[in-house]
Amino acid sequence: MTAATDFELLFESAPISLWLEDYSALKDLFDTWRAQGVSDLEAHLRADPARAAQCSQCYQVLQVNQQTLRLFGAQSQDELIARLPEVFRGDMFEPMVHELVQLWNGQLEFSNQSVNYGLDGRRIDVQIHVRILPGHEERWDRVMVSLQDTTTHTRARLQLERSEQHARNLFDLSPVSLWVEDFSGVKQLMDEVRHSGVQDFRVFLSVHPDFVGRCMEQIRVLEVNQHTLDMFAATGRADLLSKLDLVFKGEMNASFADQLLDLWNGKTVQTREVINYSLSGELINIHMQFAVMPGHEAHWDMVLVSLVDITARKKAEAYLEYLGKHDALTRLRNRAFYVEELNRISRKGPWPLAIVAMDLNGLKAVNDAQGHAAGDALLRRAGEVLAKAAGDQQPLCMARVGGDEFVALMPGCDERAAQGLRERIESILDLNNQFYPGQKLSLAIGTAACHSAAEVESAIHAADQAMFEAKTRYYEDAQLERRRG
């Protein structure tokens, strides 16, 4: 009596939900199906889901404890048993199939995760543990089932999974290139240098340039997102990571040296513009943001690098800069650049300075007779001739300074060099006129030279006067009325 009483007290006072059940009817059903030739219970149940319901009707609840009544919100065992369809509802098919297959295969003890419902409609996540009691293995007429409420844990896990998936989605679907990298090897190398007594890291890098390459070799890429693969024209993560030497080359070595210098000085969040290359060889201007992740400052073992492709912006900036210094029609330097260059030469030289002043003959007549489109075409041809004559001579400045006026500044050159440029221009003019039949292109040209800033203004005037004289001769030779266009 004492043992029985102790068992009852233990059963009733247990802190988890306990069910004493009779599975003998289920055992009989299984024996019947085996006799009928069923060998694969799972396939048998899936062929007709009603068979699983037939199995569930074989369970007979003999007794439940107080924790069970509290868990499911029942006033009594009779109420709970009467309302079991409210407890075991929803999608119970998969958990039930798992349990039934365990029993079918002779497992006398097993666990499973499932979902039940309280009588008030609450969803309850439960860990189920089933044990056929010793001495009842033949008939399954005494089975102990324990249910542990895992709702809080399950919800926390699901919330964590959702948060992780949300973070993963933000990473994968980010419209910028994201890299998660491990810089711990880089930190170890830098710590070794610091511990060796080095104080001026910039000097150290200049003396040991190979150290930059050693650090680059220590970087481990942990993850990249889809936009990264698209940006660098990679077919997949393995493709990109196996060809990083094609991505980080050229100018990247100097940029990474600056990055190391910032890290040495404790700057673990950095922003800079760098140049990378796609796997197809295209240059990509990059705005890079580098940050050692919070909590990883001690080892730099997790670093987030974001790369924004600013190639289009750089091209636009370069074009705007080009427009600021060039004439859009002739593609020569514009008046603003000419004035700036003239002031620079006046301040710093080099001397002497040769000046070639030029004016396009007959532009007004072409505009009046054929329209400004024809005049613009003539100006473009003049730009082609002058650009060809200037070639890549540095620091020669060939500029359009007015409607039909052009000037070449030749620092470090004398009058003889100016005459040489004039001869090249006239030679290329002849070729241009052969290539463009019809309207003849003609330039009035004057040259001068000076040897100091004090002489610049008079030299410009002298070149202009020589150009005006050539222009007068052009109109006289063509027996045209001279009109300044």
Side-chain angles (χ1 to χ4, degrees), residues 52-65:
Q54 183 181 357
C55 291
S56 67
Q57 294 169 5
C58 294
Y59 297 141
Q60 181 182 358
V61 178
L62 303 177
Q63 186 178 353
V64 298
N65 66 350

Side-chain angles (χ1 to χ4, degrees), residues 14-232:
I16 63 174
S17 170
L18 295 177
W19 303 59
L20 185 61
E21 301 185 31
D22 181 352
Y23 283 16
S24 58
L26 178 63
K27 178 73 164 57
D28 293 339
L29 180 60
F30 278 6
D31 290 343
T32 300
W33 284 347
R34 290 183 196 278
Q36 293 173 352
V38 175
S39 59
D40 187 339
L41 179 66
E42 183 173 355
H44 187 62
L45 295 174
R46 293 189 184 281
D48 184 359
R51 291 167 179 156
Q54 183 181 357
C55 291
S56 67
Q57 294 169 5
C58 294
Y59 297 141
Q60 181 182 358
V61 178
L62 303 177
Q63 186 178 353
V64 298
N65 66 350
Q66 286 299 313
Q67 180 60 22
T68 300
L69 301 180
R70 286 192 292 269
L71 178 61
F72 290 95
Q75 296 298 317
S76 65
Q77 178 173 307
D78 291 340
E79 180 188 12
L80 179 62
I81 293 173
R83 298 174 64 181
L84 281 180
E86 298 177 41
V87 174
F88 306 120
R89 60 184 173 89
D91 188 9
M92 293 290 295
F93 180 76
E94 290 299 329
M96 180 172 289
V97 167
H98 176 77
E99 294 173 16
L100 293 173
V101 169
Q102 296 291 316
L103 289 166
W104 177 273
N105 292 334
Q107 295 293 325
L108 302 180
E109 184 175 4
F110 57 87
S111 297
N112 193 27
Q113 189 74 30
S114 187
V115 175
N116 292 166
Y117 292 86
L119 298 185
D120 57 359
R122 288 175 296 112
R123 174 192 168 100
I124 306 173
D125 294 284
V126 293
Q127 178 73 28
I128 302 173
H129 187 80
V130 178
R131 176 70 167 94
I132 297 176
L133 295 179
H136 299 271
E137 294 87 353
E138 291 296 324
R139 293 293 305 143
W140 300 358
D141 54 337
R142 289 295 181 272
V143 179
M144 183 67 75
V145 179
S146 66
L147 303 181
Q148 184 176 356
D149 183 0
T150 61
T151 303
T152 302
H153 172 75
T154 300
R155 289 179 180 175
R157 177 177 55 79
L158 291 175
Q159 180 62 37
L160 178 60
E161 289 176 357
R162 284 193 290 267
S163 296
E164 290 176 347
Q165 186 59 50
H166 180 63
R168 168 56 62 179
N169 290 340
L170 290 177
F171 181 83
D172 287 338
L173 302 177
S174 173
V176 300
S177 169
L178 296 177
W179 303 62
V180 180
E181 300 179 353
D182 181 351
F183 265 59
S184 59
V186 176
K187 189 175 191 307
Q188 184 175 349
L189 286 178
M190 294 179 69
D191 285 346
E192 291 173 359
V193 172
R194 196 184 298 273
H195 293 154
S196 70
V198 172
Q199 295 182 347
D200 193 327
F201 190 60
R202 187 184 297 276
V203 172
F204 174 82
L205 290 180
S206 65
V207 176
H208 303 279
D210 60 304
F211 184 78
V212 175
R214 289 175 59 199
C215 287
M216 293 185 75
E217 292 173 356
Q218 291 299 315
I219 300 173
R220 291 178 55 239
V221 178
L222 304 178
E223 190 59 85
V224 296
N225 66 347
Q226 183 59 46
H227 190 80
T228 300
L229 304 180
D230 297 338
M231 179 187 296
F232 291 95

Side-chain angles (χ1 to χ4, degrees), residues 358-379 381-382 403-406 429 438-445 467-468 470-476 478 480-485:
M358 296 157 281
D359 196 284
L360 180 59
N361 292 322
L363 178 62
K364 186 177 185 305
V366 172
N367 283 334
D368 291 344
Q370 304 177 40
H372 285 279
D376 287 348
L378 204 60
L379 284 167
R381 286 174 58 191
D404 57 0
E405 300 172 18
F406 304 87
L429 269 175
Q439 182 64 47
K440 184 178 180 181
L441 180 65
S442 173
L443 288 169
I445 303 175
M467 179 269 293
F468 289 142
K471 197 171 187 69
T472 299
R473 288 194 299 273
Y474 166 80
Y475 283 106
E476 289 176 348
L480 297 173
E481 178 185 356
R482 183 178 184 278
R483 296 185 180 88
R484 185 165 180 79

Side-chain angles (χ1 to χ4, degrees), residues 345 350 352-356 393 395-397 408-414 416-422 424:
I345 296 170
L353 169 66
I355 300 169
V356 180
Q393 296 182 64
L396 187 151
C397 168
L409 298 177
M410 305 175 69
C413 298
D414 56 13
R416 186 173 58 179
Q419 289 297 329
L421 177 61
R422 175 176 183 161
R424 286 200 304 276

Side-chain angles (χ1 to χ4, degrees), residues 216-325:
M216 293 185 75
E217 292 173 356
Q218 291 299 315
I219 300 173
R220 291 178 55 239
V221 178
L222 304 178
E223 190 59 85
V224 296
N225 66 347
Q226 183 59 46
H227 190 80
T228 300
L229 304 180
D230 297 338
M231 179 187 296
F232 291 95
T235 58
R237 184 176 181 273
D239 182 37
L240 177 65
L241 299 188
S242 66
K243 300 175 182 176
L244 289 179
D245 57 318
L246 300 180
V247 174
F248 307 119
K249 62 180 181 179
E251 304 89 334
M252 196 63 196
N253 199 68
S255 176
F256 187 63
D258 291 338
Q259 189 176 344
L260 291 177
L261 187 60
D262 281 347
L263 286 170
W264 177 272
N265 293 325
K267 191 174 182 181
T268 56
V269 177
Q270 306 175 17
T271 300
R272 55 177 30 89
E273 292 186 2
V274 300
I275 291 176
N276 291 168
Y277 294 85
S278 71
L279 298 188
S280 58
E282 295 180 3
L283 183 147
I284 307 175
N285 293 100
I286 298 289
H287 177 81
M288 181 191 77
Q289 289 185 303
F290 171 99
V292 177
M293 297 295 284
H296 298 268
E297 295 87 351
H299 303 289
W300 303 352
D301 54 331
M302 185 170 289
V303 171
L304 179 63
V305 180
S306 66
L307 307 179
V308 178
D309 183 351
I310 57 171
T311 305
R313 192 194 82 187
K314 282 292 186 181
K315 288 180 178 179
E317 290 175 352
Y319 183 63
L320 289 174
E321 181 180 2
Y322 176 87
L323 290 180
K325 297 179 179 180

